[in-house]
Amino acid sequence: MAESKKDERSSSPLHVVVFPWLAFGHIIPFLELSEQLAKRGHLVTFVSAPRNLARLRPVHPELKPRIRLAPLPLPAVEGLPAGAESTADVPPEKVELLKVAFDGLAAPFAAFLADACAGGEAGEGHGRKPDWIILDFAQHWLPAIADKHKVPCAVFLIFPASGVAFLGTKELNAAHPRSSAADFTVPPPWIPSPSCIAFRGHEAEWFARAWDPNASGVSDISRILETTHRCPLLICRCSHEVDGQLCSLLGDLHRKPVLPSGHLAPYAAARAAGVAGSGADDDEETASLMRWLDAQPARSVLYVAFGSEAPLSPEQVAALALGLELAGVRFVWALRRPVGEDPPELPDGLERRVSGRGVVRVGWVRNAEELKEVLRDTARQERYIDDLVEQLLQRRTME
């Protein structure tokens, strides 16, 4: 590549294809990362199944022109309910069928990428050949497709840094095989001693099953190990402030760059940009919650949350509310709004009766430690993304 073309390419915006697994616990942080890239002037093509894209929260108008949504319809799979496109649409026992459908996207994605690369490096905007593909743990088949078009891949792992370190690499697991649940109740040999990173007995039984092939013919662990093995760059949703030395340990274990993304608080990109209407009310609600937490005695607040995989029925919401009220404990309840549905209704007068000792918040709530360590310093998040973008830019221009 001529020197002038190198300089021109290094200064032009990135075009990044972002492709998460079919779970909103993955889709949301992938969208937040996309917003951070778009905030810095880079272009993102965000790939998912059509219904998932339709259920995304709105991207702020200032960022929206740089984020293109690209639907890839899932193939029909026997036993998978019609219209099921995410783990929120199926019971746990049918998630493996969702992986069968997801693997069926290999050929459509290959066609999509061929079309995306057709414009070459001279193309404009989203019509330019992608510089990177940021994929999830589940696409063990994708790096081979990307290699044919000479598009580098980075895997974005949303799992805790401790979990990524505990899992290790394909090579480390081959050298130190683990199969029984008991193997996972102790730290693996590649984590420096002393360490308490291990599973409890009931957790270890669940984790051991993740090594068994499911209906897709591939185990979840094999997907992660193969994907991280094939990608030249890893991005981990972690930070030095929260995860400490684990951040550098991950790079040592994988023998390739592992870049922290920070913890990617929702709407962080729009808020950091100072965009009007990008969540000021949410900021004030978070600040109020933090002030309340600071006023409580240490280790006295119960955090109640069920995540994105366990939506509560109205009856369950009512029962849990009654239990919290009768227990008399201090609590923060992150009551999740089901995707595409109205907020769940609380019993009449609950918030008045628990005022001063209980907080119910519909939507996203970090735990207290992360609130203190991450949300108070948005500049810290900005530095992580700036470093990540710098690495993506530098590696794009490498011969």
Side-chain angles (χ1 to χ4, degrees):
M1 184 184 292
E3 196 64 35
S4 61
K5 286 188 177 180
K6 258 190 185 179
D7 293 340
E8 180 182 341
R9 191 173 181 219
S10 64
S11 61
S12 63
L14 291 162
H15 178 202
V16 182
V17 173
V18 175
F19 188 11
W21 159 240
L22 305 173
F24 279 90
H26 293 242
I27 292 170
I28 291 171
F30 270 73
L31 179 62
E32 289 153 8
L33 179 60
S34 299
E35 289 177 323
Q36 290 283 358
L37 295 173
K39 171 180 170 286
R40 288 159 173 80
H42 302 292
L43 303 169
V44 174
T45 297
F46 193 93
V47 179
S48 191
R51 188 163 177 249
N52 294 338
L53 296 179
R55 290 186 288 181
L56 289 176
R57 60 166 172 75
V59 173
H60 193 277
E62 184 174 292
L63 306 178
K64 193 172 183 179
R66 295 191 285 274
I67 299 179
R68 177 181 63 157
L69 303 182
L72 278 187
L74 291 175
V77 170
E78 185 178 356
L80 189 65
E85 294 187 353
S86 79
T87 55
D89 301 327
V90 296
E93 64 271 15
K94 288 188 179 289
V95 169
E96 59 182 318
L97 297 179
L98 203 59
K99 293 187 173 75
V100 176
F102 195 59
D103 289 346
L105 291 180
F109 183 82
F112 156 82
L113 186 59
D115 184 63
C117 292
E121 294 174 4
E124 295 184 0
H126 290 97
R128 198 184 73 232
K129 177 182 177 181
D131 297 291
W132 285 92
I133 300 172
I134 297 180
L135 65 152
D136 212 329
F137 80 96
Q139 297 100 309
H140 61 295
W141 38 263
L142 195 152
I145 296 171
D147 286 348
K148 293 180 180 179
H149 297 279
K150 295 183 168 52
V151 179
C153 293
V155 58
F156 177 32
L157 299 174
I158 68 154
F159 313 114
S162 57
V164 178
F166 184 87
L167 178 59
T169 67
K170 184 177 181 179
E171 295 82 3
L172 288 170
N173 279 278
H176 306 278
R178 299 173 289 178
S179 57
S180 69
D183 293 332
F184 304 110
T185 60
V186 295
W190 51 81
I191 294 183
S193 297
S195 172
C196 61
I197 298 177
F199 285 104
R200 297 179 178 90
H202 67 284
E203 297 169 331
E205 292 177 4
W206 166 83
F207 191 68
R209 290 195 295 272
W211 294 73
D212 298 331
N214 52 47
S216 69
V218 183
S219 73
D220 288 346
I221 299 300
S222 294
R223 289 177 185 271
I224 302 174
L225 295 179
E226 184 62 25
T227 305
T228 54
H229 175 72
R230 292 293 304 273
C231 291
L233 183 68
L234 274 63
I235 304 168
C236 189
R237 191 170 62 162
C238 63
S239 70
H240 293 287
E241 292 77 17
V242 173
D243 300 289
Q245 295 180 348
L246 283 172
C247 292
S248 56
L249 175 63
L250 292 177
D252 294 339
L253 294 179
H254 286 272
R255 298 183 180 180
K256 64 182 71 174
V258 179
L259 306 177
S261 69
H263 290 262
L264 294 170
Y267 298 92
R271 288 204 305 266
V275 178
S278 62
D281 292 341
D282 185 67
D283 280 347
E284 176 52 37
E285 191 174 354
T286 295
S288 175
L289 175 58
M290 290 176 62
R291 289 192 294 269
W292 182 82
L293 283 169
D294 284 339
Q296 309 310 310
R299 304 177 66 85
S300 68
V301 178
L302 177 66
Y303 177 56
V304 182
F306 291 85
S308 60
E309 299 298 308
L312 300 178
S313 67
E315 295 76 17
Q316 290 169 328
V317 169
L320 184 55
L322 177 62
L324 290 171
E325 183 177 353
L326 294 177
V329 297
R330 297 179 176 89
F331 67 89
V332 173
W333 182 6
L335 181 54
R336 189 173 185 85
R337 178 203 303 264
V339 176
E341 299 181 19
D342 294 330
E345 291 189 11
L346 295 170
D348 289 342
L350 172 71
E351 293 181 272
R352 174 180 52 79
R353 293 193 297 273
V354 300
S355 177
R357 70 169 176 87
V359 176
V360 181
R361 182 167 176 184
V362 177
W364 173 87
V365 179
R366 286 279 190 188
N367 67 50
E369 191 62 27
E370 288 181 327
L371 278 168
K372 294 174 188 296
E373 292 298 327
V374 181
L375 294 181
R376 278 182 172 162
D377 188 0
T378 55
R380 188 182 294 164
Q381 175 67 74
E382 293 293 292
R383 289 195 296 272
Y384 281 118
I385 299 298
D386 287 341
D387 290 345
L388 169 59
V389 169
E390 182 63 28
Q391 286 293 318
L392 294 177
L393 285 167
Q394 287 182 7
R395 292 174 183 278
R396 175 177 70 173
T397 58
M398 290 180 180
E399 291 291 350

